[in-house]
Amino acid sequence: MSQLITGRWSDRLGRHRLNVGGMWLCGIGVAMMVVMNSSGGWMLSAALTGFGMAMLYPNLSAAVADIAPPLWRGSAIGIYRFWRDLGYALGALGLGLSAHFAGQLESAFWFVALSMGVSGAWLAWRGEETHPSFGLPKRKVSKRVA
């Protein structure tokens, strides 16, 4: 449900801030899973993580769509989703390895929290706004279909 809100926010505020904030909010929410010791704390952690993902999920795809030429947009989103899904698979492997070698399940949560924090920092540093109204200049789109 919150993706309906955050998707609209990105049209008004731009993609970059929501993507960076979503990465950081997810990382904070996952870290809270480890340090909280009550049902209320875990519910708050889950809510923060869920809202962070709502900030990220539709807006990363939108950022790809913003920069891809119209005739190549479907392929660009497919390539983005391939790398995103590969990240899920490699992340699961990283979770398992961190839990195995640390000998505790909590290390898997710290692995995710740290990964989200570092990803958000990298995106804040190297990323740029992609929304045509806020970042990149609007491109002239050819009406000709190749």
Side-chain angles (χ1 to χ4, degrees), residues 38-60:
S38 69
S39 296
W42 293 322
M43 285 191 296
L44 176 61
S45 170
L48 290 176
T49 303
F51 195 73
M53 281 305 294
M55 291 169 71
L56 273 176
Y57 205 77
N59 299 320
L60 286 172

Side-chain angles (χ1 to χ4, degrees), residues 61-62 64-66 68 72-83:
S61 294
V64 171
D66 288 342
W72 195 70
R73 193 165 290 149
S75 296
I77 291 174
I79 292 167
Y80 155 73
R81 291 185 66 173
F82 166 78
W83 286 107

Side-chain angles (χ1 to χ4, degrees), residues 30-45:
V30 170
M32 286 175 59
M33 293 263 182
V34 180
V35 298
M36 293 294 177
N37 57 8
S38 69
S39 296
W42 293 322
M43 285 191 296
L44 176 61
S45 170

Side-chain angles (χ1 to χ4, degrees), residues 68-73 138-146:
L71 294 176
W72 195 70
R73 193 165 290 149
K138 293 184 180 183
R139 290 186 203 93
K140 293 181 182 175
V141 177
S142 172
K143 300 209 185 239
R144 195 176 55 142
V145 176

